[in-house]
Amino acid sequence: MLLHRLHLGLLFIVCACPFRAQEGDVYSRLVYPGEDGRLAYRPYTDRGDIIPDFSWCGYMGGGVDLPDVEVVATLAASGDGNGNGDDAPRIQAVIDSVSGLSPGADGFRGAILLKKGLYRIASSLRIAGSGIVLRGEGNDKFSGTALLATSPHRYPVIEIGIAARFRPVAGSERAITDDYVPSGTRVVHVSNASACFRPGDRVIVHRPSTDGWIGTLGMDSIPPRPLPGESTRDAFRRFRQSGGNADMNGTNQWRPGSKDLNFERRVVSVAGDAVTLDIPLTNALQKEYGGGVIFRYEFPERIEQCGVEYLYGLSTYDESVKLHNRHIGLYSGDENHADVFVSIRAAENVWIRKVNVESLDCCVRTDPSSKFVTGQDLSAVHPVSEITGGRRYAYSISGQMVLFERCYAGYHRHEFVLGATVAGPNAFVAGSGDMTFASSEPHQRWATGCLYDNITIRGPEGSLLSVNRGWFGSGHGWSGAQMVFWNCSAPVIMIMQPPTAQNFVIGSGGPVTEQHAALAREQTIKSINNVSRSNFSDTGEPPVGDGWIEHPARSVTPRSLYYAQLRDRKGKNRE
């Protein structure tokens, strides 16, 4: 029934809490001050699932100051006045030369300083060795160090690491014996654990995507994208009447094995059958859906201890290519130019700080083989591309333990976004976006465990979402699980509860303008008015708001969950 789908009673608004530390403070029922002054966590299910500790996100596992690495090489701008030069080869030659140096005891080979001026970059600068920092003399376009991408095709200006993947250690795989491992826990059980694992081991906890789990989510029967001239409701009815044999029009069902999660962890201790991990898992492991396995792994190709800092990035483009948007009129829509400033591939313990970019789709993109990354004090404005799918993702996470802190975006679509099957935790903290044309969100196919902490989004079509996206894209379906929106502000914040999981809105950071709210509400309702077996009603009205929502009209204490968790774990106050 529609009322069941809208789930008005599940807009779980908590008006009082018995755990007040100060008069007037408001707390979540799930995370609140304990008697010892540290945060206490209450399960949100009867199986022990809790909101996880996100403080492990960031360089070196969070709470570690970004280093100031000694300069070992310096380059000056070429001063080429004709605009046809290419500085990439000589910068790359210095990067390669520094890669040949022996790293110090701290793991660093050294920083390469690009003096103030303009550098033309016609091909990607590639950092393929550990311990290298690329540093400018300021992130101002005119008075600092600017990298201008000049080639008429899409490419990243800077790449850190290569395309590579972990390798399991042969014979180390063990089945997890628990009937249920709650989300938020750090302990799993295997038979005779001490014979297989030791403290310090690097391990993967693998969660399979089985037929049974996909069927429970309804992701084996995602209805088709509507045909030209067809409504969403008509597409659903055509699909249902065909017995699932309708023209899918580009929509793909989820397949077993295609949505697996691989959580990278270290073993802290082994006692009997219990293996304690360093970082909580951000998705439950259920035996009825295949449970999980744990194994040791190797990753010799992955580099570490690299940074990019104090730079300004931009790209040439064809200014004659103009498109029209109903909110801003004519805009620059050329796409034959560099699209990403920094792409992080197989790399860990990496930072990007005090970098500003314009005319690029993406400031920083982290691939699935990246982890322990910090993006700090970044700005991405005025991207040049079509305002449509696959473009304008300012800060994009596909790795794990990634932190974007104090980052800003303007004129993007998905400022703070996650890719498919992302194994958390990850965090966006104290960020904001203006002139937003879509949602900040887990974008597709079951990303897990991301904290949106004090994120503010403003229109004209901006929103914060974690929903079932149904046929959108090529069948994005349930986009995220264990997403936590903590003291955030946006014209629209919508969460839906997936089968087997949960999403959360806790607190609000304050209102946005009603003009932005009205525009965003209209667009967001349209965008999620798609169909799946688990969320469609014959009225065509979208189900919204059936996740866990507390205090949607005021902020809660602590103001920042990430910084409070970091204080508990590291004893540091970084707010």
Side-chain angles (χ1 to χ4, degrees), residues 73-81 85-98 112-126 134 145-147:
T74 301
L75 281 82
S78 64
D80 185 346
D86 181 10
D87 295 294
R90 65 191 189 95
I91 297 174
Q92 188 64 55
V94 175
I95 293 172
D96 295 343
S97 176
V98 173
I112 300 166
L113 178 64
L114 302 181
K115 302 290 286 185
K116 294 178 182 179
L118 180 67
Y119 298 78
R120 295 177 176 84
I121 309 298
S123 58
S124 298
L125 302 175
R126 292 185 169 89
L134 191 62
T145 301
L147 303 187

Side-chain angles (χ1 to χ4, degrees), residues 1-7 536-539 543:
M1 295 177 60
L2 176 59
L3 287 180
H4 172 73
R5 290 303 187 192
L6 289 177
H7 238 320
F536 185 74
S537 66
D538 280 345
T539 65

Side-chain angles (χ1 to χ4, degrees), residues 175-482:
I176 293 171
T177 58
D178 304 81
D179 288 339
Y180 190 89
V181 177
S183 180
T185 193
R186 297 191 301 124
V187 179
V188 298
H189 294 84
V190 300
S191 296
N192 197 17
S194 60
C196 310
F197 303 104
R198 298 284 187 273
D201 282 350
R202 290 177 177 244
V203 295
I204 298 287
V205 175
H206 174 82
R207 180 186 185 273
S209 50
T210 62
D211 253 332
W213 176 70
I214 291 171
T216 296
L217 265 58
M219 297 294 95
D220 57 351
S221 53
I222 305 170
R225 175 187 295 274
L227 297 169
E230 185 179 43
S231 70
T232 295
R233 189 186 309 171
D234 289 342
F236 172 75
R237 288 174 177 163
R238 173 170 57 83
F239 176 75
R240 184 171 54 187
Q241 291 167 3
S242 74
N245 295 315
D247 179 358
M248 299 304 292
N249 195 22
T251 298
N252 298 314
Q253 308 300 339
W254 293 12
R255 301 300 180 193
S258 67
K259 306 297 176 285
D260 295 357
L261 295 172
N262 291 304
F263 298 95
E264 291 197 48
R265 300 294 186 260
R266 279 190 182 270
V267 174
V268 173
S269 64
V270 181
D273 288 348
V275 178
T276 300
L277 308 170
D278 56 346
I279 302 170
L281 303 175
T282 57
N283 203 105
L285 309 179
Q286 305 107 310
K287 181 166 284 188
E288 66 266 36
Y289 298 129
V293 298
I294 181 172
F295 55 85
R296 301 194 306 277
Y297 72 96
E298 299 172 338
F299 206 153
E301 297 88 356
R302 178 186 267 161
I303 66 172
E304 61 180 340
Q305 298 295 350
C306 295
V308 174
E309 53 191 21
Y310 310 114
L311 293 169
Y312 194 95
L314 68 166
S315 177
T316 60
Y317 57 92
D318 186 346
E319 296 184 17
S320 70
V321 179
K322 298 292 185 182
L323 302 174
H324 186 272
N325 176 271
R326 68 189 182 102
H327 299 298
I328 60 174
L330 290 177
Y331 70 94
S332 294
D334 179 40
E335 299 197 324
N336 294 317
H337 60 90
D339 57 338
V340 179
F341 190 61
V342 180
S343 176
I344 304 172
R345 310 194 79 177
E348 64 179 316
N349 295 319
V350 173
W351 73 89
I352 314 297
R353 66 172 156 186
K354 294 192 176 179
V355 165
N356 295 344
V357 304
E358 66 172 87
S359 64
L360 301 165
D361 265 9
C362 178
C363 181
V364 179
R365 179 180 66 201
T366 68
D367 286 2
S369 291
S370 65
K371 68 173 185 175
F372 294 129
V373 175
T374 290
Q376 187 179 87
D377 297 315
L378 309 177
S379 173
V381 297
H382 300 296
V384 174
S385 69
E386 296 183 42
I387 301 176
T388 189
R391 283 84 162 176
R392 303 189 180 217
Y393 294 21
Y395 307 104
S396 178
I397 295 177
S398 290
Q400 48 193 301
M401 286 76 76
V402 177
L403 167 68
F404 283 102
E405 180 182 28
R406 300 189 301 271
C407 296
Y408 175 79
Y411 289 85
H412 283 77
R413 296 182 65 250
H414 305 293
E415 291 101 336
F416 307 102
V417 65
L418 294 107
T421 58
V422 179
N426 291 293
F428 298 104
V429 178
S432 63
D434 284 309
M435 286 304 296
T436 303
F437 297 103
S439 53
S440 284
E441 62 181 359
H443 189 57
Q444 56 168 308
R445 297 178 174 90
W446 208 260
T448 68
C450 186
L451 172 65
Y452 287 75
D453 187 330
N454 286 269
I455 299 298
T456 299
I457 302 297
R458 289 170 283 264
E461 298 174 6
S463 56
L464 290 165
L465 302 181
S466 187
V467 300
N468 185 346
R469 303 193 73 239
W471 52 259
F472 269 70
S474 56
H476 287 171
W478 282 109
S479 59
Q482 288 70 248

Side-chain angles (χ1 to χ4, degrees), residues 161-175:
I162 63 172
R165 193 173 185 272
F166 67 82
R167 293 196 293 272
V169 173
S172 68
E173 181 178 303
R174 296 294 183 273

